[in-house]
Amino acid sequence: MDLRIAVLPGDGIGVEVVDASMRVLDVVAGKFGHKVHAEFADVGWAAIDKHGTALPASTREICKRNSAILFGAVGLPDRDQTLPQKERPERVALLELRKGLYANLRHVLLPPGLASRCPLKMELIQRGIDIMIIRELTGGLYYGQPQGISGASPDRKAIDTLAYSESEISRILKVGFETARKRRKRLTSVDKANILATSQLWRELATAMGKQYPDVQLEHMYVDNASMQLLRRPSDFDVIVTENTFGDILSDEASMLAGSIGLVPSASLGEPGADGTSSVPFYEPIHGSAPDIAGQNKANPVATILTVAMMLNYTFGLSKEAAAIEKATFAVLNAGKILTGDLGGKSTCSEVTDAVIAGL
Ligand code: IPM
Ligand code: MG
């Protein structure tokens, strides 16, 4: 199979971890008889420095003509501050490229061999942690109008709008139910239905859809309670489905349960051609650009390597190839000998990558 991928390393450690994951992909493709066609493109500060914008037209073009986008990270906090909000890389590039991709899947899995890296007590994690968080990605507070700051100090007013339509809620709930059906058949729908109108509609629609999935055990949970239960009984969670901002916050919290944010991959998916803008599936590790360790071969490549596995699964339907990457990666993590600094080890990004490749 021809694997056509737009590769956007971006800033900071994005460059190293994307390079590592592409090395793994090349080896897997070779073993299974596939051909990787990678088109590299600039994004973030890497693009501002060369083209004057974080998302140049040439990068958009490259994204459009490929089947998937592999993305590293954008943003360099020191330099971001020199730009107005609206021109910062995360707005100009990240939110733009995610347009139309309403389903953000973030997989939090604690490798048993790294149980001691999980900040929770052993007795709380004995049954393991394997949670798929499904975050709605194109609605809610991030995009709702009106939005902005108006008036003159000291009477300025700031507004963000939390808005969801029935169809936006239903399509993400469906992803939640379908995903749960393929896993352990438990779906936790997270909302704030005791206060928010959007959440009341969300809960009503989730309850109704639940009737079509009698095999899936549906539970509703308020977001404040969910943030607590994740720490109290993480093993009880299978699939979580929630709106944009709740999902942003809960997925960072949950990532610590995996031992490090450096282990959590993600996929952002839409329906092909759904809204005409960018419906090319977008794959990224959930961590950022970490400029403090960039260029030193210290970054953990695992989140991006597992992100490539998600890409093989979801975009190319290559589940055996994806499973091979996951197996080799978790073998390295569980052995606990070759680990980067975030996991208490001393190995480099390339050593971890070499170890994964050796196990393929
Ligand atoms: C994430 C990030 C982004 C988000 C920011 C950088 C806009 O926090 O991917 O979780 O909130 O979606
Ligand atoms: Mg976030």
Side-chain angles (χ1 to χ4, degrees):
M1 182 184 240
D2 288 313
L3 310 176
R4 297 186 189 283
I5 306 163
V7 184
L8 281 53
D11 302 320
I13 61 167
V15 177
E16 301 149 67
V17 295
V18 165
D19 175 70
S21 68
M22 288 302 289
R23 281 175 55 211
V24 173
L25 177 62
D26 281 334
V27 175
V28 171
K31 283 203 192 292
F32 286 83
H34 306 298
K35 188 150 177 33
V36 178
H37 304 269
E39 275 196 274
F40 281 76
D42 297 318
V43 73
W45 280 100
I48 296 177
D49 290 339
K50 270 202 220 163
H51 313 267
T53 161
L55 185 62
S58 53
T59 297
R60 276 179 193 275
E61 257 327 293
I62 288 174
C63 289
K64 241 192 249 167
R65 64 175 180 240
N66 280 282
S67 309
I69 302 168
L70 178 64
F71 184 91
V74 290
L76 297 172
D78 290 348
R79 298 186 68 185
D80 291 350
Q81 282 173 26
T82 64
L83 295 175
Q85 277 285 341
K86 283 203 169 109
E87 287 167 34
R88 294 186 187 171
E90 43 193 48
R91 279 244 167 187
V92 176
L94 193 56
L95 294 194
E96 266 309 299
L97 288 169
R98 285 178 179 171
K99 266 196 182 154
L101 305 171
Y102 61 86
N104 181 221
L105 278 59
R106 300 183 160 188
H107 192 190
V108 174
L109 198 156
L110 173 66
L114 291 183
S116 65
R117 300 302 306 174
C118 175
L120 299 187
K121 290 195 188 98
M122 280 294 178
E123 67 211 58
L124 295 177
I125 59 174
Q126 256 155 15
R127 286 183 294 126
I129 298 175
D130 180 350
I131 307 171
M132 184 66 91
I133 299 181
I134 299 178
R135 168 188 176 195
E136 200 291 327
L137 201 58
T138 52
L141 287 173
Y142 282 51
Y143 300 95
Q145 293 301 324
Q147 180 178 65
I149 303 175
S150 60
S153 193
D155 295 313
R156 281 180 299 170
K157 224 177 140 180
I159 300 185
D160 292 291
T161 301
L162 176 48
Y164 270 107
S165 68
E166 200 163 323
S167 62
E168 283 176 312
I169 298 172
S170 296
R171 65 184 183 180
I172 193 72
L173 287 171
K174 184 162 177 238
V175 177
F177 279 106
E178 292 290 335
T179 307
R181 185 169 259 179
K182 292 191 201 114
R183 289 172 42 100
R184 301 194 308 278
K185 302 191 169 47
R186 289 191 63 143
L187 179 64
T188 307
S189 171
V190 173
D191 63 37
K192 186 76 186 175
N194 47 347
I195 299 292
L196 301 175
T198 42
S199 285
Q200 282 151 22
L201 183 58
W202 183 286
R203 192 173 280 219
E204 181 194 316
L205 295 169
T207 305
M209 195 175 288
K211 305 218 162 71
Q212 296 163 38
Y213 294 87
D215 51 322
V216 174
Q217 192 188 333
L218 169 68
E219 136 187 76
H220 302 281
M221 205 179 274
Y222 295 141
V223 61
D224 47 351
N225 184 31
S227 72
M228 178 177 81
Q229 300 303 342
L230 272 171
L231 304 184
R232 206 168 78 97
R233 46 184 187 92
S235 307
D236 287 348
F237 290 89
D238 175 13
V239 179
I240 292 175
V241 64
T242 191
E243 68 90 39
N244 202 344
T245 307
F246 296 164
D248 179 40
I249 298 166
L250 289 181
S251 61
D252 267 30
E253 181 193 2
S255 74
M256 278 314 291
L257 300 175
S260 163
I261 196 167
L263 297 183
V264 183
S266 85
S268 300
L269 312 169
E271 263 130 37
D275 83 336
T277 41
S278 165
S279 49
V280 183
F282 183 83
Y283 296 88
E284 60 175 327
I286 82 161
H287 62 70
S289 63
D292 52 323
I293 57 162
Q296 298 167 44
N297 203 12
K298 283 184 181 165
N300 189 345
V302 167
T304 318
I305 293 172
L306 294 175
T307 294
V308 162
M310 284 185 109
M311 177 175 78
L312 291 174
N313 247 329
Y314 291 104
T315 294
F316 299 106
L318 299 174
S319 53
K320 278 200 201 106
E321 291 79 344
I325 293 181
E326 284 164 358
K327 194 170 161 224
T329 307
F330 286 111
V332 171
L333 295 174
N334 284 322
K337 294 212 172 74
I338 304 174
L339 302 172
T340 42
D342 57 314
L343 293 172
K346 291 203 166 70
S347 302
T348 61
C349 178
S350 17
E351 284 164 350
V352 172
T353 310
D354 292 340
V356 171
I357 290 173
L360 278 167

